Amino acid sequence: MTIPRHQDGHATHPVHEHESLWTATVSMPHFAPLAGDVEADVCVIGGGIAGLTTAYLLTQAGKSVVLLDDGPLAGGMTGVTTAHLSNALDDRYVEIERVHGVDGARLAAASHTAAIDRIDAIVKAEHIHCDFERVDGFLFLGPDDSHNGEELLDRELAAAHRAGLVGVEKLPRVPVGATGAALGPCLRFPRQAQFHPLKYCAALAAAIERASGRIFTHTHADSIDAGPPARIKAGSFTVVSHAVVVATNSPINDLVAVHTKQAPYMSYVIGARVPRGSVARSLYWDTHDPYHYVRVQPGPESAQHDLLIVGGEDHKSGQADDTQERHARLEAWARARFPIVDGGHAIECRWAGQVMETIDGLAFIGRNPLDKENIYIVTGDSGMGMTHGTIAGILLMDLLLGRENPWTTLYDPSRKSLRAGGTYMKEAANMAAQYVDWVTGGDVASTEEIRNNSGAIVRRGLVKLAVYRDEHGTLHERSAVCPHLGCIVGWNASEKTWDCPCHGSRFDKLGRVINGPSNRDLTTPGA
Ligand code: FES
């Protein structure tokens, strides 16, 4: 792997490696762990944008709410998003209409528009300083579509209009700014938005507390008994509540039902310095598969630069380990199109996050399939976690308050999207293929080959071990079998995690679970 170099010979070493722009610039408020039994109307598990928005709206509606998170607040995927707030769906309206019909596409458009409007309203009502601003969004052609792309844009424009989006138009070129490369024709989506997700989440948490909601972090929900009333065990303590919302990115309470309908993908991001004002503040994304997505975050007042945030290079989780190459390709792609500052710190940060892609392009929000009526889930962000997380807050509030909501059926976790069957079969085959890892060899023949601060899968007889050698040379051995449904995890050298290729569980280097659906750590061999 060669790290890109520029005219002055400096390598583009980032200031923040494996750290998002958001976590590098904001410290989230601290909350104590649960230290006694408590009761509430609703227990929300998970303190990302979906859990916090749900808790916020419920407390505003007068409900008593307890929120639990097993890490710091917003320490999961909310901290590594690029925070595009868009009603131009990732899968694009032609596909959403094919799978969900015109009426479904209209509801999807209306719900994402409402999510942006709700964030706008909350920002104003709570006087939140989170860099929220309305911007335009531009869909332009990827290299593969540059020849026949005009027709692609025309079809998408017509589908967006049928979905009820107002003001979407085709332009002859992307108005990227005076110094950017010509990106060709595009669709303009008005009244999109962007913000700093952690500033927003920190303010939501403060507002929840002001409304008498209770937040406990570093509190792991070990089990959920639906009751009623529901009983959530967390260590030695219990939360008793009428209802439970599981907002843990990938549900920890549902072993199978939704996990066969979504798949985890890693996505990569760089934050590059561009001269202040040189790139118009807008959202940009192309038609490539996987697509590139771009936005501009203003730099600090004292600086002469903005940060161009560029994402893409997605792959199925646990099925590639070439992070540096992917970040380098992103940088090359961005340099060919935008006026990135040259110099040693042109790339200010590089990070990665996991996206849960559903088979039909929309999140699963509502009552958990096969569970009692008081257990709700939100999962399947589909690359639109900020708007889907906010839709979850609005929809779950209505369901919990017994109100009608027109989006209920569209987002129902029990739905069967028959027209998405091809995607379902493809993902099912991919998951099934992962079980072959049970009989293959390890990444290395012996633990001697594992360098310090690195990990590898090692076969020992009939079993496979996830072996990490720490900075001091000490080996830490765990079973490589994911406690969820038994796939073999893989080492992620960039993030220093063990990632499961089947349904997205992730574990830290010592095997402690950091992302569901597994709710348990990798086991210690022989324990
Ligand atoms: Fe399902 Fe690992 S996440 S088997």
Side-chain angles (χ1 to χ4, degrees):
M1 159 68 201
T2 305
I3 295 176
R5 292 177 182 275
H6 307 301
Q7 293 149 355
D8 59 3
H10 288 116
T12 55
H13 292 297
V15 180
H16 304 288
E17 185 76 270
H18 311 309
E19 185 174 27
S20 77
L21 175 62
W22 323 121
T23 53
T25 51
V26 164
S27 297
M28 293 299 286
H30 294 286
F31 295 90
L34 185 66
D37 297 340
V38 293
E39 295 182 9
D41 293 329
V42 181
C43 177
V44 176
I45 304 173
I49 190 164
L52 284 166
T53 306
T54 305
Y56 170 78
L57 293 176
L58 286 170
T59 54
Q60 295 297 308
K63 290 288 180 186
S64 70
V65 177
V66 165
L67 186 148
L68 309 178
D69 194 297
D70 65 355
L73 216 54
M77 294 307 111
T78 296
V80 293
T81 175
T82 54
H84 290 224
L85 304 175
S86 178
N87 59 13
L89 299 176
D90 272 30
D91 281 16
R92 302 207 292 267
Y93 279 98
V94 168
E95 176 64 8
I96 293 295
E97 183 183 292
R98 185 188 73 77
V99 176
H100 297 279
V102 175
D103 290 345
R106 291 183 75 85
L107 288 168
S111 58
H112 284 266
T113 303
I116 303 170
D117 291 345
R118 182 61 68 106
I119 292 170
D120 193 345
I122 292 172
V123 166
K124 290 191 173 93
E126 301 292 343
H127 307 288
I128 300 174
H129 300 287
C130 61
D131 311 326
F132 177 89
E133 64 181 310
R134 291 282 185 168
V135 294
D136 284 339
F138 298 98
L139 169 66
F140 61 98
L141 299 172
D144 297 343
D145 295 315
S146 54
H147 297 305
N148 61 354
E150 294 261 355
E151 188 202 334
L152 185 156
L153 291 178
D154 290 339
R155 283 192 288 120
E156 182 63 12
L157 178 64
H161 285 160
R162 284 194 296 276
L165 288 185
V166 176
V168 183
E169 61 179 349
K170 188 172 159 194
L171 300 179
R173 76 186 72 83
V174 184
V176 70
T179 52
L183 297 178
C186 66
L187 297 187
R188 181 182 80 92
F189 293 80
R191 289 187 62 73
Q192 314 297 288
Q194 61 179 29
F195 67 174
H196 189 308
L198 294 190
K199 289 180 181 175
Y200 179 71
C201 284
L204 280 187
I208 291 166
E209 282 212 308
R210 283 197 300 276
S212 302
R214 290 160 288 172
I215 297 174
F216 302 97
T217 59
H218 301 286
T219 299
H220 184 77
D222 299 315
S223 64
I224 302 168
D225 177 346
R231 303 177 74 81
I232 300 94
K233 294 287 285 181
S236 313
F237 307 112
T238 304
V239 180
V240 178
S241 62
H242 297 302
V244 180
V245 172
V246 181
T248 52
N249 183 255
S250 185
I252 55 171
N253 57 318
D254 179 319
L255 273 185
V256 177
V258 299
H259 299 300
T260 57
K261 300 194 288 186
Q262 61 182 8
Y265 284 78
M266 292 300 293
S267 193
Y268 297 83
V269 183
I270 59 170
R273 293 184 182 187
V274 293
R276 170 155 287 180
S278 62
V279 180
R281 271 193 228 159
S282 301
L283 310 182
Y284 310 91
W285 66 100
D286 70 8
T287 58
H288 192 61
D289 184 18
Y291 69 100
H292 301 89
Y293 46 99
V294 180
R295 59 168 282 197
V296 182
Q297 177 72 5
E301 284 293 322
S302 57
Q304 292 301 308
H305 65 265
D306 294 329
L307 275 180
L308 187 78
I309 302 170
V310 182
E313 290 288 334
D314 303 13
H315 67 78
K316 192 90 184 279
S317 293
Q319 297 183 23
D321 189 16
D322 54 356
T323 298
Q324 285 188 307
E325 284 85 350
R326 287 172 193 272
H327 277 142
R329 284 200 293 271
L330 271 185
E331 184 179 339
W333 183 90
R335 281 187 181 279
R337 291 161 180 81
F338 299 97
I340 293 176
V341 172
D342 273 316
H345 293 307
I347 305 303
E348 190 155 309
C349 39
R350 286 198 281 241
W351 74 91
Q354 183 166 275
V355 174
M356 299 303 296
E357 294 286 2
T358 66
I359 60 168
D360 63 10
L362 296 176
F364 296 113
I365 304 165
R367 291 199 173 91
N368 190 40
L370 311 177
D371 219 330
K372 294 202 176 153
E373 296 222 326
N374 58 342
I375 309 293
Y376 300 79
I377 60 170
V378 44
T379 187
D381 58 84
S382 303
M384 307 198 68
M386 298 297 101
T387 43
H388 270 140
T390 305
I391 290 168
I394 300 168
L395 175 51
L396 294 175
M397 173 184 67
D398 283 347
L399 293 177
L400 284 156
L401 296 178
R403 298 175 183 159
E404 293 279 314
N405 184 300
W407 313 331
T408 305
T409 304
L410 184 71
Y411 290 106
D412 184 354
S414 300
R415 71 179 182 267
K416 291 185 175 53
S417 303
L418 296 178
R419 290 184 202 149
T423 309
Y424 178 85
M425 295 307 291
K426 193 175 111 206
E427 292 295 359
N430 182 289
M431 284 176 206
Q434 304 313 311
Y435 288 92
V436 171
D437 283 348
W438 272 85
V439 295
T440 57
D443 301 335
V444 294
S446 114
T447 57
E448 302 296 311
E449 297 176 43
I450 303 174
R451 297 190 313 275
N452 282 10
N453 200 21
S454 186
I457 299 296
V458 178
R459 173 169 284 288
R460 191 170 293 154
L462 289 177
V463 299
K464 277 193 157 180
L465 301 175
V467 182
Y468 169 68
R469 185 186 292 279
D470 67 23
E471 300 82 350
H472 311 293
T474 304
L475 290 174
H476 303 267
E477 295 187 352
R478 300 287 181 271
S479 166
V481 179
C482 175
H484 177 226
L485 290 177
C487 286
I488 300 294
V489 298
W491 176 244
N492 180 332
S494 157
E495 302 295 311
K496 309 277 185 231
T497 54
W498 299 103
D499 298 348
C500 180
C502 285
H503 315 104
S505 290
R506 301 178 71 201
F507 308 84
D508 72 9
K509 53 198 174 190
L510 299 179
R512 296 173 294 216
V513 66
I514 52 176
N515 206 85
S518 176
N519 199 25
R520 289 181 290 134
D521 301 337
L522 297 178
T523 58
T524 304

